[in-house]
Amino acid sequence: MVITSHINGRIRVRDSRLRRAPVLERVREALLLRSDVSEVSSNPKTGSLLILYRKGCHVLAELTGLLQELLGPGLPAPVSAVPEKSPVSPPPNRLVVSRRRVVNLGMLAGLLLTLLTMAVNKELHILAGLHFLGFLAIHLFDKRRTLFT
């Protein structure tokens, strides 16, 4: 069991055992029986649970303890030392962010050049269109998992 993000009142947990429907339903029902849990959203494809709960200092330790009981043995001790306002997940990779920005700006520049050169020069219009299509191809390649799943 891994806590992928935590903010006071909201926790996301991932575990491969949550991909099985019977386990997922058992965990959801047990969590919703608690008075301090307001909502449980699940994604069986990724094996994750999003739990919205009443803000409190001991609720996180109680929830992780309950999750360990429900999911079975072999899990680490409850995570109670997670800071209340900082996410557990690492910050986004700056190289990926800058690449995304370059690709988006390249597509925008190609589109603007295509539109501006449409009436002026046919050869420049074709080159600008190819420029745009090149950056679009990179963009579609980067987003292929999102687009084609």
Side-chain angles (χ1 to χ4, degrees):
M1 178 177 77
V2 176
I3 297 176
T4 57
S5 68
H6 172 247
I7 300 171
N8 197 7
R10 178 186 183 277
I11 183 173
R12 182 173 299 276
V13 178
R14 289 185 194 254
D15 193 298
S16 61
R17 291 169 280 199
L18 293 171
R19 292 180 179 175
R20 294 180 291 188
V23 175
L24 185 61
E25 273 308 306
R26 186 182 74 222
V27 171
R28 284 190 77 227
E29 289 172 6
L31 287 170
L32 289 172
L33 288 175
R34 293 181 54 103
S35 62
D36 51 6
V37 174
S38 59
E39 186 179 335
V40 177
S41 301
S42 61
N43 186 344
K45 187 174 183 180
T46 61
S48 73
L49 282 175
L50 175 64
I51 305 165
L52 302 179
Y53 61 91
R54 179 182 48 84
K55 295 179 182 179
C57 22
H58 300 292
V59 178
L60 177 64
E62 292 173 8
L63 287 176
T64 54
L66 176 63
L67 286 169
Q68 287 179 349
E69 288 176 24
L70 293 169
L71 290 174
L75 296 173
V79 179
S80 57
V82 176
E84 287 294 315
K85 293 194 177 184
S86 67
V88 177
S89 59
N93 187 349
R94 291 194 180 269
L95 182 63
V96 172
V97 173
S98 65
R99 175 187 163 103
R100 185 181 324 143
R101 180 171 288 150
V102 167
V103 170
N104 288 343
L105 288 174
M107 281 193 311
L108 180 63
L111 180 62
L112 290 175
L113 282 172
T114 303
L115 293 174
L116 290 174
T117 58
M118 187 170 26
V120 178
N121 188 336
K122 187 175 183 177
E123 289 81 20
L124 285 176
H125 176 69
I126 292 171
L127 287 175
L130 291 173
H131 168 88
F132 171 76
L133 289 176
F135 278 103
L136 178 64
I138 294 169
H139 175 75
L140 291 175
F141 181 77
D142 289 344
K143 305 294 181 191
R144 69 188 178 278
R145 289 188 182 145
T146 305
L147 293 171
F148 302 115
T149 56

